[in-house]
Amino acid sequence: MCGIVGYIGNRECQEILLDGLRRLEYRGYDSAGIAVMQGERVQVRKCAGRIAQLEGLARRNPLSGKMGIGHTRWATHGEPTDLNAHPHQDVKGNIALVHNGIIENHGMLRNYLEKQGCRFVSQTDTEVIAHLIHSLYKGDMLQAIREAMGFLEGSYALAVICESEPDSLYCVRLGSPLVVGMGAGEMFLASDIPAILPHTRDMLFLEDKEIAVLRRDGVRVYDAVGAIRHPSPYHISWDAAAAEKGGYAHFMLKEMMEQPQAVQGTLSAYTGKEGLREMLPGKVERLDFIACGTAYHAGRVGAYYLRQLAGIESAAHIASEYRYCRLFPQTDAGVLAISQSGETADTLAALQKARAMGMQTAALTNTVGSTLDRSVKTTLLTYAGPEIAVASTKAYITQVETLLLLAMDQGRKNGALSGERLGDILNQLGRLPEKMEEVLKKQTPIQHYCDGHMNEKLMFFIGRGVDYALAMEAALKLKEVSYLPCEAYAAGELKHGAIALIEQGTPVFAICTQEELLEKTLSNLRETKARGAETVCICPETMEKRARQEADLVWTVPDSDPLLLPLLIMLPMQLLAYHMAVAKGRDVDKPRNLAKSVTVE
Ligand code: M6R
C-alpha cells in the first residue's frame, strides 16, 4: 500500500525524504515521488518504478529546500506511470500533495472540477484533491483543507505543501494512518513509524478528521471544526536498527529467526512472580475474533484454545465478511480484533460494527499507538518488534501465544482450568524458545526439498481441528511469497471434491499435532497417496514412528505440550514458504500485488 513521508526543519530535505521512502519500500509500491519547497516554488520529481529510479532522477536534477513531502504509490486508480505517481498538483502548480487511501466520489468531483476549467493530467483519484483544495483556497490552507474534507468521500491520509505558506506542512487523515515525529527544531511526518524512526522516537498519532500543521518548532493539531487538540505523544521503544535487516538476506528470514525472542518477550510481558497476569478484565461467556489474513488464522487457533481451556464458545471471523453480515446483539459476548499493523481497514470497520451491536470490544496488536490500539479501552500487545516483511511470521506466532495466555486466563477465572495445569503450561511455554531455536536451525532439509519441488503445479496442506487452522496459514504463507498454487483443506473434506486435483507426484502435507486425531488424518493422507500424491507428515517426535509407516517423508518438531505444538509446527511451514520463494527467485519481502498494511477496504 502507499506510503507517505514529510519533513520541515533546518536541513536539506531531499535525502531525508528519499531515505524515508526507502524505509517504506516494504509496504509494496509501483511508483514514487517527492515535492520540495525550493525557494518560492514547489518542485516535483516523480516516476514509475522503484525508489532507485527516483533517486537517479533526483540526483540528476536535485531539489534544494527544507520542507517537502514524499510518496510511494501502489496503483489503484490508473496504471503505475510517471504521471499517475504522487505528488499531484493543482492547475497552477502552487500546491503539491500526496495521498494514501481511495476517494470514492472522485468521478463526480472530477466532472465538477473539469466544468470549472481544471485540466487533469493523471487518471488518479488523488489529483481531484489537489484541484479541489486549490479551488477552495482563499489564503488559508487550514480552512481550504477543512472545506475539502466536506466534499471527499472515502479514506485518506494527506500531506500538503503550498507555495503561499512556505513555513507550514499540512496533513489530515480519515481512515488511513498518519504519524507526526517530533524532533528538535524539525518535524517529521509518515504513514508508518519506521520511515522516520532514525530521527525521533517521540510520535503523535493523528485521529480521524484531525488536521495537523507542522512548523519547524512544533505541531498544532485541530479537530474537524477547528478546535485545538492536545494529543499526548507516544515514545516508541524499539529503535531504527530493529527495523533493519541486520545481515540477513531478507526481513522474512530475520523475522522468523527472531521468533524465539519474540515469544520470550511476550511471555515476560504477561507473566511475573505471581504467574500469569490478568489478560482481559472480567470473564466472558463467549469471545469471538475478527481479523484478516494471517491474523484471522491466529484467531482460529485462539478459538480452539478458548474452547479447550476455558470451555466457552468462540469463533474467528474474516473481518471483511463480518462487517457486512447480519449480527445478533449479545451483550455477554466479547469481540477481540487481531491485527499486526492495527491499521487494517476491514478489521477496524468490523470492530466498529461489533461495538455498535453492544458487544464488549478489545484489541490484540503488535503496533502501539495504531488506530486499533487507540480505538479500544483494552489492548493486548504482542512484543514481536517491528515486522517489515509483507509475510507475517513473528507477529502470527506471538498472536497465537497471546491468545493461548488469554484462554488460560479465562479458564482460570471460570474454573475450567486448574492452577496446576495452568502452571504446567506456563512452565512449558518458558522452555519453548529453546525448542524453537532447535527447529529454526534445521533448515537444510527444507531447502533441499524446495530445490527439488520448485516446479510443482499444486500443493495441498491438510489437517483436522486446530491443524486445519495451521494448514490454512501454511498455505497462505507459501502462496503469498512463492506464488506456488496451494490449497488448505480440512483433511476429512478432501474426498468431497478437491481430491480430484491430486495427480502423480502432487505434494500433500499433513499437519498432525493432536494424538487423538493422528489416525484419522493419516488415513486421509493414505487416500491421497493411493491417488499418486507424494506425502509429507509434519508432527512431533512421539508421532514420528507411526507417521513413517504412512508418509513418504516426515518432518518432526520436538515434543511439547499439544497446546504449544501449533507454535512449533508453524516454523517449518514458514521456512518452507521462505525457501520455496528463494528457490523460485521471488521478491521475498515484497511479494507482487501485496501490501504490508491494507488500509483500504
Ligand atoms: O496488519 P494485519 O495483521 O491486520 O494484516 C492482516 C493481513 O493483511 C495480513 O496478515 C496478511 O495476510 C499477511 N500478508 C500475511 O502474511
PDB file of all heavy atoms in Angstrom, residues 291-297 338-345 347 364-365 367 372 387 389-393 395 399 473 476-477 480-481 591 594-598, ligand 1:
ATOM      1  N   ALA A 291     -10.560 -10.571  12.185  1.00  0.00           N
ATOM      2  CA  ALA A 291      -9.214 -10.297  11.667  1.00  0.00           C
ATOM      3  C   ALA A 291      -9.162 -10.653  10.186  1.00  0.00           C
ATOM      4  O   ALA A 291     -10.134 -11.176   9.640  1.00  0.00           O
ATOM      5  CB  ALA A 291      -8.189 -11.143  12.433  1.00  0.00           C
ATOM      6  N   CYS A 292      -8.044 -10.352   9.569  1.00  0.00           N
ATOM      7  CA  CYS A 292      -7.849 -10.681   8.150  1.00  0.00           C
ATOM      8  C   CYS A 292      -6.566 -11.505   7.995  1.00  0.00           C
ATOM      9  O   CYS A 292      -5.628 -11.345   8.775  1.00  0.00           O
ATOM     10  CB  CYS A 292      -7.664  -9.416   7.321  1.00  0.00           C
ATOM     11  SG  CYS A 292      -9.045  -8.297   7.428  1.00  0.00           S
ATOM     12  N   GLY A 293      -6.524 -12.297   6.943  1.00  0.00           N
ATOM     13  CA  GLY A 293      -5.296 -12.997   6.555  1.00  0.00           C
ATOM     14  C   GLY A 293      -4.718 -13.832   7.672  1.00  0.00           C
ATOM     15  O   GLY A 293      -5.405 -14.619   8.339  1.00  0.00           O
ATOM     16  N   THR A 294      -3.426 -13.646   7.869  1.00  0.00           N
ATOM     17  CA  THR A 294      -2.714 -14.424   8.875  1.00  0.00           C
ATOM     18  C   THR A 294      -3.277 -14.188  10.286  1.00  0.00           C
ATOM     19  O   THR A 294      -3.346 -15.114  11.098  1.00  0.00           O
ATOM     20  CB  THR A 294      -1.218 -14.049   8.801  1.00  0.00           C
ATOM     21  OG1 THR A 294      -0.684 -14.687   7.641  1.00  0.00           O
ATOM     22  CG2 THR A 294      -0.443 -14.493  10.010  1.00  0.00           C
ATOM     23  N   ALA A 295      -3.678 -12.959  10.559  1.00  0.00           N
ATOM     24  CA  ALA A 295      -4.236 -12.664  11.888  1.00  0.00           C
ATOM     25  C   ALA A 295      -5.533 -13.455  12.095  1.00  0.00           C
ATOM     26  O   ALA A 295      -5.840 -13.902  13.205  1.00  0.00           O
ATOM     27  CB  ALA A 295      -4.484 -11.163  12.017  1.00  0.00           C
ATOM     28  N   TYR A 296      -6.290 -13.649  11.012  1.00  0.00           N
ATOM     29  CA  TYR A 296      -7.509 -14.465  11.093  1.00  0.00           C
ATOM     30  C   TYR A 296      -7.140 -15.917  11.416  1.00  0.00           C
ATOM     31  O   TYR A 296      -7.791 -16.575  12.238  1.00  0.00           O
ATOM     32  CB  TYR A 296      -8.272 -14.356   9.769  1.00  0.00           C
ATOM     33  CG  TYR A 296      -9.277 -15.438   9.533  1.00  0.00           C
ATOM     34  CD1 TYR A 296     -10.433 -15.539  10.314  1.00  0.00           C
ATOM     35  CD2 TYR A 296      -9.070 -16.409   8.544  1.00  0.00           C
ATOM     36  CE1 TYR A 296     -11.346 -16.567  10.101  1.00  0.00           C
ATOM     37  CE2 TYR A 296      -9.974 -17.426   8.332  1.00  0.00           C
ATOM     38  CZ  TYR A 296     -11.107 -17.507   9.111  1.00  0.00           C
ATOM     39  OH  TYR A 296     -12.008 -18.529   8.917  1.00  0.00           O
ATOM     40  N   HIS A 297      -6.074 -16.389  10.800  1.00  0.00           N
ATOM     41  CA  HIS A 297      -5.645 -17.766  11.098  1.00  0.00           C
ATOM     42  C   HIS A 297      -5.211 -17.900  12.555  1.00  0.00           C
ATOM     43  O   HIS A 297      -5.456 -18.929  13.183  1.00  0.00           O
ATOM     44  CB  HIS A 297      -4.501 -18.183  10.168  1.00  0.00           C
ATOM     45  CG  HIS A 297      -4.926 -18.230   8.726  1.00  0.00           C
ATOM     46  ND1 HIS A 297      -4.056 -18.084   7.683  1.00  0.00           N
ATOM     47  CD2 HIS A 297      -6.157 -18.386   8.167  1.00  0.00           C
ATOM     48  CE1 HIS A 297      -4.724 -18.171   6.544  1.00  0.00           C
ATOM     49  NE2 HIS A 297      -5.999 -18.340   6.815  1.00  0.00           N
ATOM     50  N   ILE A 338      -7.924  -8.687  15.943  1.00  0.00           N
ATOM     51  CA  ILE A 338      -6.494  -9.042  15.896  1.00  0.00           C
ATOM     52  C   ILE A 338      -5.877  -8.421  14.647  1.00  0.00           C
ATOM     53  O   ILE A 338      -6.391  -8.604  13.545  1.00  0.00           O
ATOM     54  CB  ILE A 338      -6.301 -10.573  15.820  1.00  0.00           C
ATOM     55  CG1 ILE A 338      -7.116 -11.279  16.907  1.00  0.00           C
ATOM     56  CG2 ILE A 338      -4.831 -10.943  15.937  1.00  0.00           C
ATOM     57  CD1 ILE A 338      -7.149 -12.801  16.748  1.00  0.00           C
ATOM     58  N   SER A 339      -4.793  -7.702  14.833  1.00  0.00           N
ATOM     59  CA  SER A 339      -4.130  -7.093  13.676  1.00  0.00           C
ATOM     60  C   SER A 339      -2.687  -6.747  14.014  1.00  0.00           C
ATOM     61  O   SER A 339      -2.440  -6.033  14.987  1.00  0.00           O
ATOM     62  CB  SER A 339      -4.880  -5.822  13.264  1.00  0.00           C
ATOM     63  OG  SER A 339      -4.146  -5.109  12.303  1.00  0.00           O
ATOM     64  N   GLN A 340      -1.776  -7.254  13.242  1.00  0.00           N
ATOM     65  CA  GLN A 340      -0.368  -6.910  13.438  1.00  0.00           C
ATOM     66  C   GLN A 340      -0.185  -5.408  13.349  1.00  0.00           C
ATOM     67  O   GLN A 340       0.359  -4.777  14.237  1.00  0.00           O
ATOM     68  CB  GLN A 340       0.486  -7.614  12.374  1.00  0.00           C
ATOM     69  CG  GLN A 340       1.989  -7.462  12.508  1.00  0.00           C
ATOM     70  CD  GLN A 340       2.540  -6.115  12.111  1.00  0.00           C
ATOM     71  OE1 GLN A 340       3.284  -5.488  12.885  1.00  0.00           O
ATOM     72  NE2 GLN A 340       2.184  -5.624  10.954  1.00  0.00           N
ATOM     73  N   SER A 341      -0.664  -4.825  12.259  1.00  0.00           N
ATOM     74  CA  SER A 341      -0.432  -3.397  12.000  1.00  0.00           C
ATOM     75  C   SER A 341      -1.344  -2.506  12.824  1.00  0.00           C
ATOM     76  O   SER A 341      -1.008  -1.371  13.138  1.00  0.00           O
ATOM     77  CB  SER A 341      -0.679  -3.094  10.524  1.00  0.00           C
ATOM     78  OG  SER A 341      -2.036  -3.376  10.200  1.00  0.00           O
ATOM     79  N   GLY A 342      -2.526  -3.018  13.151  1.00  0.00           N
ATOM     80  CA  GLY A 342      -3.518  -2.182  13.832  1.00  0.00           C
ATOM     81  C   GLY A 342      -4.145  -1.155  12.900  1.00  0.00           C
ATOM     82  O   GLY A 342      -4.800  -0.219  13.341  1.00  0.00           O
ATOM     83  N   GLU A 343      -3.954  -1.327  11.592  1.00  0.00           N
ATOM     84  CA  GLU A 343      -4.459  -0.339  10.631  1.00  0.00           C
ATOM     85  C   GLU A 343      -5.313  -0.975   9.540  1.00  0.00           C
ATOM     86  O   GLU A 343      -5.673  -0.278   8.582  1.00  0.00           O
ATOM     87  CB  GLU A 343      -3.287   0.415   9.970  1.00  0.00           C
ATOM     88  CG  GLU A 343      -2.372   1.160  10.920  1.00  0.00           C
ATOM     89  CD  GLU A 343      -3.057   2.333  11.638  1.00  0.00           C
ATOM     90  OE1 GLU A 343      -4.191   2.697  11.256  1.00  0.00           O
ATOM     91  OE2 GLU A 343      -2.447   2.844  12.593  1.00  0.00           O
ATOM     92  N   THR A 344      -5.597  -2.241   9.616  1.00  0.00           N
ATOM     93  CA  THR A 344      -6.325  -2.920   8.538  1.00  0.00           C
ATOM     94  C   THR A 344      -7.765  -2.418   8.500  1.00  0.00           C
ATOM     95  O   THR A 344      -8.516  -2.559   9.468  1.00  0.00           O
ATOM     96  CB  THR A 344      -6.242  -4.439   8.742  1.00  0.00           C
ATOM     97  OG1 THR A 344      -4.865  -4.794   8.751  1.00  0.00           O
ATOM     98  CG2 THR A 344      -6.952  -5.193   7.640  1.00  0.00           C
ATOM     99  N   ALA A 345      -8.153  -1.853   7.352  1.00  0.00           N
ATOM    100  CA  ALA A 345      -9.444  -1.158   7.252  1.00  0.00           C
ATOM    101  C   ALA A 345     -10.615  -2.077   7.597  1.00  0.00           C
ATOM    102  O   ALA A 345     -11.516  -1.690   8.349  1.00  0.00           O
ATOM    103  CB  ALA A 345      -9.601  -0.600   5.841  1.00  0.00           C
ATOM    104  N   THR A 347     -10.710  -4.758   9.428  1.00  0.00           N
ATOM    105  CA  THR A 347     -10.713  -5.144  10.847  1.00  0.00           C
ATOM    106  C   THR A 347     -11.242  -3.991  11.694  1.00  0.00           C
ATOM    107  O   THR A 347     -12.044  -4.201  12.621  1.00  0.00           O
ATOM    108  CB  THR A 347      -9.283  -5.548  11.282  1.00  0.00           C
ATOM    109  OG1 THR A 347      -8.822  -6.565  10.388  1.00  0.00           O
ATOM    110  CG2 THR A 347      -9.253  -6.057  12.704  1.00  0.00           C
ATOM    111  N   LEU A 364      -5.941  -6.939  19.890  1.00  0.00           N
ATOM    112  CA  LEU A 364      -4.652  -7.613  20.004  1.00  0.00           C
ATOM    113  C   LEU A 364      -3.810  -7.114  18.831  1.00  0.00           C
ATOM    114  O   LEU A 364      -4.139  -7.360  17.671  1.00  0.00           O
ATOM    115  CB  LEU A 364      -4.858  -9.136  19.918  1.00  0.00           C
ATOM    116  CG  LEU A 364      -3.611 -10.022  19.811  1.00  0.00           C
ATOM    117  CD1 LEU A 364      -2.657  -9.783  20.964  1.00  0.00           C
ATOM    118  CD2 LEU A 364      -4.009 -11.492  19.781  1.00  0.00           C
ATOM    119  N   THR A 365      -2.772  -6.362  19.120  1.00  0.00           N
ATOM    120  CA  THR A 365      -1.974  -5.792  18.033  1.00  0.00           C
ATOM    121  C   THR A 365      -0.502  -5.741  18.400  1.00  0.00           C
ATOM    122  O   THR A 365      -0.137  -5.773  19.593  1.00  0.00           O
ATOM    123  CB  THR A 365      -2.471  -4.378  17.648  1.00  0.00           C
ATOM    124  OG1 THR A 365      -1.694  -3.888  16.545  1.00  0.00           O
ATOM    125  CG2 THR A 365      -2.363  -3.389  18.794  1.00  0.00           C
ATOM    126  N   THR A 367       1.241  -3.156  17.262  1.00  0.00           N
ATOM    127  CA  THR A 367       1.637  -1.776  16.985  1.00  0.00           C
ATOM    128  C   THR A 367       1.015  -0.805  17.968  1.00  0.00           C
ATOM    129  O   THR A 367      -0.151  -0.409  17.828  1.00  0.00           O
ATOM    130  CB  THR A 367       1.272  -1.408  15.531  1.00  0.00           C
ATOM    131  OG1 THR A 367       1.687  -2.481  14.686  1.00  0.00           O
ATOM    132  CG2 THR A 367       1.962  -0.141  15.095  1.00  0.00           C
ATOM    133  N   LEU A 372      -6.096   0.889  15.752  1.00  0.00           N
ATOM    134  CA  LEU A 372      -6.795  -0.154  16.531  1.00  0.00           C
ATOM    135  C   LEU A 372      -6.501   0.009  18.022  1.00  0.00           C
ATOM    136  O   LEU A 372      -7.421  -0.012  18.850  1.00  0.00           O
ATOM    137  CB  LEU A 372      -6.345  -1.544  16.037  1.00  0.00           C
ATOM    138  CG  LEU A 372      -6.983  -2.737  16.742  1.00  0.00           C
ATOM    139  CD1 LEU A 372      -8.497  -2.727  16.570  1.00  0.00           C
ATOM    140  CD2 LEU A 372      -6.413  -4.047  16.210  1.00  0.00           C
ATOM    141  N   GLU A 387       7.580  -5.626  12.371  1.00  0.00           N
ATOM    142  CA  GLU A 387       7.568  -6.669  11.352  1.00  0.00           C
ATOM    143  C   GLU A 387       7.523  -5.968   9.994  1.00  0.00           C
ATOM    144  O   GLU A 387       6.557  -5.263   9.696  1.00  0.00           O
ATOM    145  CB  GLU A 387       6.358  -7.582  11.530  1.00  0.00           C
ATOM    146  CG  GLU A 387       6.430  -8.819  10.655  1.00  0.00           C
ATOM    147  CD  GLU A 387       5.225  -9.726  10.848  1.00  0.00           C
ATOM    148  OE1 GLU A 387       4.110  -9.315  10.467  1.00  0.00           O
ATOM    149  OE2 GLU A 387       5.391 -10.822  11.374  1.00  0.00           O
ATOM    150  N   ALA A 389       8.713  -7.503   6.744  1.00  0.00           N
ATOM    151  CA  ALA A 389       8.357  -8.353   5.585  1.00  0.00           C
ATOM    152  C   ALA A 389       6.839  -8.378   5.446  1.00  0.00           C
ATOM    153  O   ALA A 389       6.119  -8.405   6.442  1.00  0.00           O
ATOM    154  CB  ALA A 389       8.883  -9.766   5.788  1.00  0.00           C
ATOM    155  N   VAL A 390       6.381  -8.381   4.203  1.00  0.00           N
ATOM    156  CA  VAL A 390       4.925  -8.436   3.981  1.00  0.00           C
ATOM    157  C   VAL A 390       4.345  -9.705   4.604  1.00  0.00           C
ATOM    158  O   VAL A 390       3.273  -9.691   5.212  1.00  0.00           O
ATOM    159  CB  VAL A 390       4.621  -8.348   2.465  1.00  0.00           C
ATOM    160  CG1 VAL A 390       3.201  -8.784   2.177  1.00  0.00           C
ATOM    161  CG2 VAL A 390       4.834  -6.918   1.975  1.00  0.00           C
ATOM    162  N   ALA A 391       5.068 -10.809   4.476  1.00  0.00           N
ATOM    163  CA  ALA A 391       4.576 -12.067   5.058  1.00  0.00           C
ATOM    164  C   ALA A 391       4.722 -12.011   6.574  1.00  0.00           C
ATOM    165  O   ALA A 391       5.815 -11.815   7.099  1.00  0.00           O
ATOM    166  CB  ALA A 391       5.361 -13.235   4.503  1.00  0.00           C
ATOM    167  N   SER A 392       3.638 -12.203   7.254  1.00  0.00           N
ATOM    168  CA  SER A 392       3.654 -12.129   8.713  1.00  0.00           C
ATOM    169  C   SER A 392       4.143 -13.452   9.296  1.00  0.00           C
ATOM    170  O   SER A 392       3.622 -14.516   8.971  1.00  0.00           O
ATOM    171  CB  SER A 392       2.235 -11.828   9.195  1.00  0.00           C
ATOM    172  OG  SER A 392       2.244 -11.646  10.575  1.00  0.00           O
ATOM    173  N   THR A 393       5.154 -13.390  10.135  1.00  0.00           N
ATOM    174  CA  THR A 393       5.676 -14.616  10.772  1.00  0.00           C
ATOM    175  C   THR A 393       5.712 -14.445  12.288  1.00  0.00           C
ATOM    176  O   THR A 393       4.923 -15.046  13.005  1.00  0.00           O
ATOM    177  CB  THR A 393       7.090 -14.952  10.247  1.00  0.00           C
ATOM    178  OG1 THR A 393       7.933 -13.797  10.401  1.00  0.00           O
ATOM    179  CG2 THR A 393       7.047 -15.379   8.801  1.00  0.00           C
ATOM    180  N   ALA A 395       4.765 -11.975  14.082  1.00  0.00           N
ATOM    181  CA  ALA A 395       3.527 -11.402  14.641  1.00  0.00           C
ATOM    182  C   ALA A 395       2.507 -12.518  14.843  1.00  0.00           C
ATOM    183  O   ALA A 395       1.847 -12.592  15.884  1.00  0.00           O
ATOM    184  CB  ALA A 395       2.975 -10.316  13.728  1.00  0.00           C
ATOM    185  N   GLN A 399       0.861 -13.682  18.281  1.00  0.00           N
ATOM    186  CA  GLN A 399      -0.611 -13.594  18.409  1.00  0.00           C
ATOM    187  C   GLN A 399      -1.147 -14.911  18.980  1.00  0.00           C
ATOM    188  O   GLN A 399      -1.950 -14.914  19.914  1.00  0.00           O
ATOM    189  CB  GLN A 399      -1.262 -13.336  17.037  1.00  0.00           C
ATOM    190  CG  GLN A 399      -1.137 -11.904  16.550  1.00  0.00           C
ATOM    191  CD  GLN A 399      -1.383 -11.765  15.044  1.00  0.00           C
ATOM    192  OE1 GLN A 399      -1.549 -12.750  14.322  1.00  0.00           O
ATOM    193  NE2 GLN A 399      -1.397 -10.537  14.570  1.00  0.00           N
ATOM    194  N   GLU A 473      -2.786 -21.446   7.393  1.00  0.00           N
ATOM    195  CA  GLU A 473      -1.699 -20.464   7.492  1.00  0.00           C
ATOM    196  C   GLU A 473      -0.485 -20.919   6.670  1.00  0.00           C
ATOM    197  O   GLU A 473       0.160 -20.118   5.997  1.00  0.00           O
ATOM    198  CB  GLU A 473      -1.336 -20.233   8.966  1.00  0.00           C
ATOM    199  CG  GLU A 473      -0.133 -19.353   9.226  1.00  0.00           C
ATOM    200  CD  GLU A 473      -0.207 -17.956   8.597  1.00  0.00           C
ATOM    201  OE1 GLU A 473      -1.266 -17.561   8.096  1.00  0.00           O
ATOM    202  OE2 GLU A 473       0.832 -17.279   8.592  1.00  0.00           O
ATOM    203  N   LEU A 476      -1.284 -20.156   3.051  1.00  0.00           N
ATOM    204  CA  LEU A 476      -1.243 -18.713   2.755  1.00  0.00           C
ATOM    205  C   LEU A 476       0.207 -18.241   2.645  1.00  0.00           C
ATOM    206  O   LEU A 476       0.574 -17.491   1.729  1.00  0.00           O
ATOM    207  CB  LEU A 476      -1.987 -17.919   3.843  1.00  0.00           C
ATOM    208  CG  LEU A 476      -1.877 -16.397   3.713  1.00  0.00           C
ATOM    209  CD1 LEU A 476      -2.502 -15.906   2.413  1.00  0.00           C
ATOM    210  CD2 LEU A 476      -2.529 -15.690   4.884  1.00  0.00           C
ATOM    211  N   LYS A 477       1.028 -18.701   3.615  1.00  0.00           N
ATOM    212  CA  LYS A 477       2.432 -18.267   3.598  1.00  0.00           C
ATOM    213  C   LYS A 477       3.099 -18.685   2.294  1.00  0.00           C
ATOM    214  O   LYS A 477       3.778 -17.905   1.654  1.00  0.00           O
ATOM    215  CB  LYS A 477       3.127 -18.916   4.797  1.00  0.00           C
ATOM    216  CG  LYS A 477       4.181 -18.137   5.482  1.00  0.00           C
ATOM    217  CD  LYS A 477       3.737 -17.078   6.459  1.00  0.00           C
ATOM    218  CE  LYS A 477       2.769 -16.087   5.963  1.00  0.00           C
ATOM    219  NZ  LYS A 477       2.048 -15.373   6.972  1.00  0.00           N
ATOM    220  N   GLU A 480       1.687 -16.693  -0.796  1.00  0.00           N
ATOM    221  CA  GLU A 480       1.967 -15.255  -0.890  1.00  0.00           C
ATOM    222  C   GLU A 480       3.423 -14.933  -1.210  1.00  0.00           C
ATOM    223  O   GLU A 480       3.697 -13.953  -1.880  1.00  0.00           O
ATOM    224  CB  GLU A 480       1.478 -14.483   0.344  1.00  0.00           C
ATOM    225  CG  GLU A 480       2.297 -14.624   1.593  1.00  0.00           C
ATOM    226  CD  GLU A 480       1.816 -13.711   2.715  1.00  0.00           C
ATOM    227  OE1 GLU A 480       1.413 -12.574   2.453  1.00  0.00           O
ATOM    228  OE2 GLU A 480       1.863 -14.153   3.879  1.00  0.00           O
ATOM    229  N   VAL A 481       4.356 -15.775  -0.731  1.00  0.00           N
ATOM    230  CA  VAL A 481       5.753 -15.425  -1.038  1.00  0.00           C
ATOM    231  C   VAL A 481       6.343 -16.190  -2.217  1.00  0.00           C
ATOM    232  O   VAL A 481       7.260 -15.697  -2.863  1.00  0.00           O
ATOM    233  CB  VAL A 481       6.701 -15.528   0.194  1.00  0.00           C
ATOM    234  CG1 VAL A 481       6.334 -14.518   1.247  1.00  0.00           C
ATOM    235  CG2 VAL A 481       6.747 -16.916   0.770  1.00  0.00           C
ATOM    236  N   PRO A 591       6.291  -9.367  -1.921  1.00  0.00           N
ATOM    237  CA  PRO A 591       5.649 -10.169  -2.973  1.00  0.00           C
ATOM    238  C   PRO A 591       4.737  -9.311  -3.844  1.00  0.00           C
ATOM    239  O   PRO A 591       4.167  -8.321  -3.365  1.00  0.00           O
ATOM    240  CB  PRO A 591       4.830 -11.191  -2.188  1.00  0.00           C
ATOM    241  CG  PRO A 591       5.231 -11.075  -0.769  1.00  0.00           C
ATOM    242  CD  PRO A 591       5.913  -9.766  -0.574  1.00  0.00           C
ATOM    243  N   LEU A 594       0.966  -7.361  -3.255  1.00  0.00           N
ATOM    244  CA  LEU A 594       0.620  -7.351  -1.819  1.00  0.00           C
ATOM    245  C   LEU A 594       1.152  -6.110  -1.134  1.00  0.00           C
ATOM    246  O   LEU A 594       2.081  -5.470  -1.601  1.00  0.00           O
ATOM    247  CB  LEU A 594       1.210  -8.580  -1.134  1.00  0.00           C
ATOM    248  CG  LEU A 594       0.564  -9.911  -1.492  1.00  0.00           C
ATOM    249  CD1 LEU A 594       1.298 -11.038  -0.799  1.00  0.00           C
ATOM    250  CD2 LEU A 594      -0.906  -9.921  -1.095  1.00  0.00           C
ATOM    251  N   ALA A 595       0.551  -5.787  -0.016  1.00  0.00           N
ATOM    252  CA  ALA A 595       0.993  -4.649   0.780  1.00  0.00           C
ATOM    253  C   ALA A 595       1.069  -5.088   2.230  1.00  0.00           C
ATOM    254  O   ALA A 595       0.353  -5.988   2.649  1.00  0.00           O
ATOM    255  CB  ALA A 595      -0.001  -3.515   0.646  1.00  0.00           C
ATOM    256  N   LYS A 596       1.958  -4.463   2.980  1.00  0.00           N
ATOM    257  CA  LYS A 596       2.112  -4.852   4.380  1.00  0.00           C
ATOM    258  C   LYS A 596       0.891  -4.508   5.191  1.00  0.00           C
ATOM    259  O   LYS A 596       0.463  -5.261   6.045  1.00  0.00           O
ATOM    260  CB  LYS A 596       3.358  -4.188   4.975  1.00  0.00           C
ATOM    261  CG  LYS A 596       3.643  -4.579   6.426  1.00  0.00           C
ATOM    262  CD  LYS A 596       3.895  -6.056   6.564  1.00  0.00           C
ATOM    263  CE  LYS A 596       4.096  -6.493   8.004  1.00  0.00           C
ATOM    264  NZ  LYS A 596       4.002  -7.971   8.123  1.00  0.00           N
ATOM    265  N   SER A 597       0.361  -3.321   4.936  1.00  0.00           N
ATOM    266  CA  SER A 597      -0.797  -2.978   5.750  1.00  0.00           C
ATOM    267  C   SER A 597      -1.895  -2.508   4.802  1.00  0.00           C
ATOM    268  O   SER A 597      -1.674  -1.659   3.944  1.00  0.00           O
ATOM    269  CB  SER A 597      -0.331  -1.983   6.809  1.00  0.00           C
ATOM    270  OG  SER A 597      -1.092  -0.869   6.869  1.00  0.00           O
ATOM    271  N   VAL A 598      -3.056  -3.158   4.906  1.00  0.00           N
ATOM    272  CA  VAL A 598      -4.113  -2.951   3.917  1.00  0.00           C
ATOM    273  C   VAL A 598      -5.126  -1.957   4.479  1.00  0.00           C
ATOM    274  O   VAL A 598      -6.065  -2.323   5.184  1.00  0.00           O
ATOM    275  CB  VAL A 598      -4.770  -4.295   3.522  1.00  0.00           C
ATOM    276  CG1 VAL A 598      -5.797  -4.093   2.427  1.00  0.00           C
ATOM    277  CG2 VAL A 598      -3.701  -5.278   3.051  1.00  0.00           C
TER     278      VAL A 598
HETATM  279  O1  M6R B   1      -1.891  -5.980   9.915  1.00  0.00           O
HETATM  280  P1  M6R B   1      -2.876  -7.088   9.937  1.00  0.00           P
HETATM  281  O2  M6R B   1      -2.492  -8.197  10.858  1.00  0.00           O
HETATM  282  O3  M6R B   1      -4.285  -6.625  10.217  1.00  0.00           O
HETATM  283  O4  M6R B   1      -2.879  -7.670   8.463  1.00  0.00           O
HETATM  284  C1  M6R B   1      -3.797  -8.650   8.078  1.00  0.00           C
HETATM  285  C2  M6R B   1      -3.387  -9.292   6.770  1.00  0.00           C
HETATM  286  O5  M6R B   1      -3.352  -8.332   5.752  1.00  0.00           O
HETATM  287  C3  M6R B   1      -2.016  -9.958   6.876  1.00  0.00           C
HETATM  288  O6  M6R B   1      -1.972 -10.902   7.894  1.00  0.00           O
HETATM  289  C4  M6R B   1      -1.660 -10.637   5.541  1.00  0.00           C
HETATM  290  O7  M6R B   1      -2.484 -11.737   5.326  1.00  0.00           O
HETATM  291  C5  M6R B   1      -0.188 -11.037   5.544  1.00  0.00           C
HETATM  292  N1  M6R B   1       0.409 -10.688   4.305  1.00  0.00           N
HETATM  293  C6  M6R B   1       0.029 -12.483   5.733  1.00  0.00           C
HETATM  294  O8  M6R B   1       1.369 -12.830   5.766  1.00  0.00           O
END
